[in-house]
Amino acid sequence: MKAPSGLLPGTKNVPFADALAAHGDRTAVITADGRVSYRELAVRVDATARRLGPERRLVLLVAANTVDALVVHLAALAGGHPVLLVPGDHPEAVRSLTDAYDPDVVARPDGDGWVLDERRDISAHTLHPDLALLLSTSGSTGSPKLVRLSHQNVQANAESIAEYLDIRDTDRAATTLPMHYCYGLSVLHSHLLRGAAVILTGLSVTDACFWELFCDARGTTFAGVPYTFELLDRVGFDAMELPHLRYVTQAGGRLAPARVARYAALGRAAGWDLFVMYGQTEATARMAYLPPEFAHTRPEAAGIAVPGGSFRLQPLPDWPGESTGELVYTGPNVMLGYAEGPEDLALGRTVDELHTGDIARLAPDGLYELVGRRSRFAKILGLRIDPQQVEAMLEKHGVTACCTGDDDELVVAVLGDPEAADPNGVRRLVTAECGLPPRAVRVRVLAELPRLATGKADYRAIRELAGPAPAPPAAPAEATASEPAAAALCRLYARILDRDAVTEDSSFVGLGGDSLSYVEMSLHLEEVLGELPDHWHTLPIRELREPSGRPADKRRGSRRRTLETSVALRAVAIVLIVGSHIHLFWVKGGAHVLLGVAGYNFARFHLGCADRRERLRNIGRSVARIAVPSMAWLALMLLVTDDYDLTGVLLLTSLLGPNDGFWFIEVLLYMLVAVAALLAVPWVDRAERRFPFALPAALAVLGLIGRYDLFGLEARVHVPLVVTVFWLFALGWTAARASTVGQRLLVNAAVLATVPGFFPGELAREVVVVVGLTLLIWVRTVPSVAWVNRVAGVLAGSSLYIYVTHWQVFPRLEGMPTLVATLASLLVGIAYAALATRVMRWRPSLPGSRGTAARARVSARRGD
């Protein structure tokens, strides 16, 4: 590559970064704040390149999906300056790599601006003429080991991707991945090469604002790692209207074949293509892709080599067969080599072909399939994990273990007494070391570790022996104010959700949170963070951290407050129920609104991307949290009063007849058990994921059979009340899955058509139900103030327990003012809620057990 004018002789650069102006006034960048043309972008890049000067210097760029960061990156590539990209959301990685490589220039954000910290005019390093880019391998953002990429690597990789994706100048790609990650960076490079536009944003696909920006910008494509597709399932992507979407790409780890096939089918129906890709940072980004026509029929395949590249299979003694061996890649995008310190920046090419470490098979149809790993590295949820380093870390903590992994999880076999060892303490250590979520780490305690005849660990046997991880113990106490914000939030989640090993990648839904814990969690988070973002329950904790800057109390004081509609409805409904029973006023219908809210929350909290068994476990936990405290209270009342019998204590009156005052609790439990049984059927579970709106809509239609008693059963036999009111639960579920205006209108029309006439002669009651459900469908939050949020949160979070206890409170206060009886009923229910919650979270320890001692040792090491 010849040096363009303005560069010193012998200086090379990346051609597409120096040719931005050739695309004229076409849109280059779209942000929430406006648009930047290629001509405008070229002017800014040229100005920054002049600022960097003609002498090559090492530029460390604190990367972010912003125009400022993109300008600095392109200026470095155009000016021939090697650029080291580091993640802007990991200050420790920035410090570590700055110390390790002593860059000449540090480009970083500073408040609302951007600064170039020019530490010296002439580089302190010897920089090889071919060196253009330095990237960390995925999952090693703070490691000094970097991949050295040349100008040719960057240009060739962008050209190859643009060719097989057929990127056009009319395409508009959203940045769903960070710039410092080679996959996210390749999206920017390949589209800028072709004169296409990039929709530059740091928003998550779970954020409604992301999709508003994507649609407003007429987005045609976005990229995703496996976890992205889990998030897409949560937000109802398959029901979205994206008329300009042309293709979706996936890389960053193996996506389950079933999910590949499902998204391929979804794309075919909606008119877009799915490109499944395979790559490594050492190949700049991409090595193979699966042509979209094979995504449905061959979803397990990695595909074919990208244009300009080629594969060969190197035979391995442990993998016999001519068509199987280690996958070796050759192409112009293969890295120069690794750097482990600044002295390596002077090196030229030390690698000619890339030994991927993956075992592959060439199928008869010409597609490559990955069947194993030669090295013990595992890429789990997009993070590269070295099991040997995990073993070494555990050894330092006095734990003898063998680790192995695949694309989905890390398996840790621990040597010890299965009855006394603490697998959850081991899991905490591993998740803290690797950054993996707890669900991706399985720990199995074995009396003897499997060995080969040579004495080496038998990792295949360990993988086969690994069973389900044991249930986590009680969560540690809440963090103190002196802890980092992220750590405090992790401990808060652990305490409220009674889950262990919570990490920054955990989310409320992913940890099995439900409607009972949702209110308590939202109140605590609001105290810490102020206004919560939409869909906070689906966001990882790292996206909820309190931003730095002004003191937290001032930040919270400056934020406007809102109250989530479902929480407000629960609070108002329970007050209406209790007040009406005590005759403080007469406004009925609150319990039936709560049935719709229950269905709404069921969809939000129990129908995430977890597998079928995990979904059922979470529903089971919710059933227990409703049934156990209710039955405990009724059992106590059975002992001290004559008001109940054993049928009532067992919550069977609605089923056996006649219905009594606890019908709501019984009906809610029956509904949860029924839908759990339905979702336990594999094809129903798949149908719910494929048709998240249509399935509950169909259940609502079936529920109308009971609503209207179409078969006349009520006249002949006792019909459980759950059959009569299930349609309200199903309508709430459907409302939660309605992602378009048309779908919301359809649900609202169903409410308006079916509620009238359900309570003959009680128009006011029907109005309450219609208004409540309509608010649930259309209004996400209502304006509020802090004290109202606190009161509503306590009432909503305690609503179940208030309902259970109030029947025994107000009759004892006969003769007292009805307002006093109402307040007393609410307060007793709130107190019982606090007691029940504390008891449900408490687990006894066995004094003197070795497991307890082990937990204490782990806690001491971590400062818990």
Side-chain angles (χ1 to χ4, degrees):
M1 298 179 187
K2 295 181 179 179
S5 59
L7 297 183
L8 293 178
T11 301
K12 302 177 182 179
N13 72 353
V14 177
F16 77 78
D18 196 43
L20 299 171
H23 301 295
D25 292 324
R26 296 194 61 81
T27 299
V29 179
I30 302 170
T31 70
D33 298 324
R35 304 189 178 201
V36 179
S37 71
Y38 271 94
R39 195 182 309 280
E40 294 167 333
L41 181 63
V43 169
R44 293 186 60 177
V45 168
D46 182 65
T48 303
R50 292 180 185 277
R51 169 80 180 276
L52 292 174
E55 291 285 345
R56 297 181 75 218
R57 292 186 288 176
L58 177 62
V59 179
L60 184 144
L61 172 58
V62 181
N65 287 351
T66 65
V67 176
D68 288 327
L70 179 62
V71 166
V72 174
H73 173 67
L74 293 173
L77 296 182
H81 303 278
V83 58
L84 167 54
L85 288 179
V86 295
D89 58 350
H90 286 272
E92 193 57 46
V94 175
R95 285 191 292 269
S96 173
L97 288 168
T98 300
D99 293 342
Y101 280 88
D102 187 23
D104 306 307
V105 180
V106 175
R108 56 181 173 81
D110 184 17
D112 295 330
W114 196 266
V115 298
L116 286 180
D117 179 10
E118 300 184 72
R119 305 169 77 182
R120 57 184 70 90
D121 295 330
I122 299 176
S123 181
H125 312 292
T126 301
L127 305 173
H128 192 276
D130 291 336
L131 182 62
L133 184 61
L134 295 160
L135 295 178
S136 292
T137 57
S138 58
S140 307
T141 52
S143 168
K145 185 175 182 178
L146 304 174
V147 171
R148 295 182 293 115
L149 299 172
S150 70
H151 309 91
Q152 183 190 25
N153 289 156
V154 175
Q155 181 75 17
N157 183 72
E159 291 175 350
S160 177
I161 294 172
E163 179 180 342
Y164 72 76
L165 291 181
D166 185 27
I167 296 176
R168 307 163 188 174
D169 59 11
T170 54
D171 279 324
R172 294 182 170 185
T175 55
T176 48
L177 303 169
M179 178 192 289
H180 69 266
Y181 177 31
C182 70
Y183 183 14
L185 190 63
S186 72
V187 173
L188 294 173
H189 288 174
S190 57
H191 285 80
L192 293 175
L193 171 82
R194 286 289 179 91
V198 291
I199 305 169
L200 202 58
T201 176
L203 294 171
S204 166
V205 295
T206 61
D207 195 321
C209 294
F210 172 88
W211 295 108
E212 290 175 10
L213 177 62
F214 188 82
C215 291
D216 290 345
R218 302 167 72 91
T220 62
T221 182
F222 63 88
V225 296
Y227 183 59
T228 307
F229 288 82
E230 293 185 14
L231 298 179
L232 292 176
D233 284 345
R234 295 181 191 177
V235 300
F237 170 75
D238 53 359
M240 292 184 184
E241 295 181 3
L242 303 171
H244 304 289
L245 184 62
R246 198 165 71 83
Y247 63 92
V248 174
T249 64
Q250 183 274 319
R254 178 178 177 270
L255 189 63
R259 184 166 274 169
V260 171
R262 183 161 64 86
Y263 271 85
L266 177 63
R268 285 205 314 277
W272 50 265
D273 290 326
L274 175 66
F275 284 85
V276 176
M277 308 184 297
Y278 162 69
Q280 293 181 358
T281 310
E282 291 85 346
T284 311
R286 304 276 71 80
M287 292 184 288
Y289 73 100
L290 184 64
E293 59 267 26
F294 292 107
H296 180 67
T297 58
R298 297 281 276 111
E300 72 283 3
I304 59 176
V306 300
S310 62
F311 288 119
R312 68 178 178 87
L313 295 174
Q314 179 167 300
L316 295 172
D318 294 335
W319 295 83
E322 294 183 1
S323 61
T324 303
E326 182 183 7
L327 193 63
V328 180
Y329 175 78
T330 304
N333 52 325
V334 172
M335 66 175 178
L336 296 173
Y338 291 109
E340 304 204 30
E343 64 280 358
D344 292 334
L345 304 183
L347 297 176
R349 178 167 294 280
T350 59
V351 174
D352 292 315
E353 58 182 8
L354 181 60
H355 289 254
T356 65
D358 288 313
I359 310 302
R361 183 179 77 90
L362 181 59
D365 57 7
L367 300 179
Y368 285 91
E369 300 173 352
L370 304 183
V371 296
R373 289 286 298 171
R374 181 178 184 182
S375 70
R376 292 186 51 222
F377 277 96
K379 200 168 190 180
I380 304 171
L381 304 180
L383 298 178
R384 180 175 292 184
I385 306 298
D386 183 354
Q388 190 171 353
Q389 288 188 359
V390 177
E391 292 173 1
M393 177 275 297
L394 291 174
E395 185 67 26
K396 292 179 182 178
H397 289 277
V399 178
T400 300
C402 293
C403 306
T404 185
D406 56 20
D407 293 304
D408 300 315
E409 64 183 358
L410 182 70
V411 177
V412 182
V414 177
L415 179 64
D417 182 352
E419 298 297 324
D422 178 26
N424 298 290
V426 173
R427 186 184 295 106
R428 282 196 298 269
L429 291 171
V430 174
T431 55
E433 173 77 9
C434 302
L436 290 170
R439 66 179 176 83
V441 179
R442 285 204 290 170
V443 180
R444 179 72 183 269
V445 181
L446 303 173
E448 293 290 339
L449 296 177
R451 301 285 179 182
L452 298 170
T454 60
K456 295 181 179 180
D458 187 346
Y459 288 102
R460 180 173 294 183
I462 290 170
R463 187 71 186 88
E464 292 171 352
L465 281 171
E478 189 171 350
T480 65
S482 62
E483 286 184 288
L489 289 180
C490 288
R491 294 172 70 86
L492 177 65
Y493 271 60
R495 181 178 66 80
I496 291 179
L497 297 179
D498 193 21
R499 300 299 291 268
D500 195 21
V502 178
T503 73
E504 292 184 54
D505 293 310
S506 304
S507 69
F508 177 83
V509 170
L511 292 170
D514 58 17
S515 60
L516 295 175
S517 51
Y518 176 81
V519 177
E520 183 182 5
M521 180 66 77
S522 63
L523 287 176
H524 281 83
L525 288 177
E526 191 176 56
E527 286 298 314
V528 176
L529 304 176
E531 183 184 0
L532 294 176
D534 291 340
H535 305 297
W536 67 263
H537 56 289
T538 67
L539 298 177
I541 292 172
R542 69 170 65 255
E543 296 185 27
L544 294 176
R545 291 180 296 185
E546 180 74 60
S548 59
R550 294 170 293 159
D553 56 345
K554 293 184 180 180
R555 285 194 298 272
R556 289 194 291 272
S558 67
R559 290 186 174 114
R560 67 181 179 87
R561 294 296 178 96
T562 60
L563 179 63
E564 189 171 314
T565 302
S566 66
V567 175
L569 288 174
R570 288 169 66 184
V572 171
I574 194 61
V575 173
L576 294 181
I577 291 169
V578 174
S580 295
H581 289 167
I582 300 175
H583 303 301
L584 175 65
F585 41 71
W586 193 254
V587 183
K588 303 185 73 175
H592 293 82
V593 172
L594 286 181
L595 289 178
V597 174
Y600 184 86
N601 286 332
F602 172 79
R604 296 173 71 205
F605 305 131
H606 292 305
L607 300 181
C609 63
D611 62 29
R612 179 166 50 89
R613 291 177 181 174
E614 183 62 24
R615 279 182 170 187
L616 296 177
R617 282 193 290 268
N618 289 339
I619 296 172
R621 280 192 285 266
S622 290
V623 168
R625 292 189 65 189
I626 296 170
V628 173
S630 300
M631 295 171 70
W633 175 266
L634 293 174
L636 177 62
M637 294 303 103
L638 176 65
L639 296 176
V640 299
T641 73
D642 297 326
D643 295 342
Y644 304 111
D645 56 20
L646 187 59
T647 302
V649 172
L650 297 177
L651 299 175
L652 296 175
T653 56
S654 179
L655 189 63
L656 301 178
N659 297 321
D660 69 358
F662 292 97
W663 69 267
F664 177 81
I665 301 295
E666 296 182 357
V667 162
L668 182 58
L669 286 171
Y670 299 164
M671 287 178 180
L672 290 176
V673 172
V675 294
L678 188 64
L679 293 172
V681 180
W683 70 264
V684 177
D685 180 76
R686 291 194 295 270
E688 189 282 324
R689 298 173 194 270
R690 179 66 182 88
F691 306 105
F693 178 80
L695 179 70
L699 292 177
V701 172
L702 287 176
L704 295 178
I705 296 175
R707 153 60 179 108
Y708 290 105
D709 190 22
L710 297 180
F711 300 122
L713 295 178
E714 257 188 79
R716 299 191 297 272
V717 297
H718 169 70
V719 177
L721 188 58
V722 64
V723 176
T724 307
V725 298
F726 175 76
W727 59 282
L728 289 169
F729 180 90
L731 282 178
W733 178 353
T734 311
R737 292 307 206 188
S739 59
T740 66
V741 171
Q743 290 175 344
R744 293 190 181 98
L745 286 171
L746 182 62
V747 180
N748 211 161
V751 170
L752 294 172
T754 56
V755 172
F758 189 63
F759 306 104
E762 297 185 70
L763 177 62
R765 190 175 189 179
E766 291 175 345
V767 169
V768 169
V769 178
V770 168
V771 170
L773 295 181
T774 299
L775 287 172
L776 192 67
I777 294 167
W778 292 103
V779 182
R780 182 168 295 166
T781 60
V782 294
S784 184
V785 293
W787 71 267
V788 171
N789 281 14
R790 286 192 289 271
V791 172
V794 171
L795 287 171
S798 307
S799 57
L800 170 75
Y801 307 98
I802 293 172
Y803 186 91
V804 171
T805 60
H806 84 285
W807 296 105
Q808 285 297 324
V809 177
F810 72 84
R812 271 63 181 172
L813 300 177
E814 189 174 355
M816 299 286 287
T818 53
L819 178 60
V820 172
T822 300
L823 292 175
S825 297
L826 295 175
L827 290 174
V828 169
I830 291 169
Y832 185 60
L835 175 64
T837 301
R838 183 177 294 274
V839 171
M840 291 289 283
R841 287 178 184 158
W842 175 76
R843 289 192 183 104
S845 298
L846 297 176
S849 72
R850 286 194 289 170
T852 304
R855 280 191 289 274
R857 287 195 299 273
V858 172
S859 296
R861 293 189 187 108
R862 298 180 65 236
D864 290 352

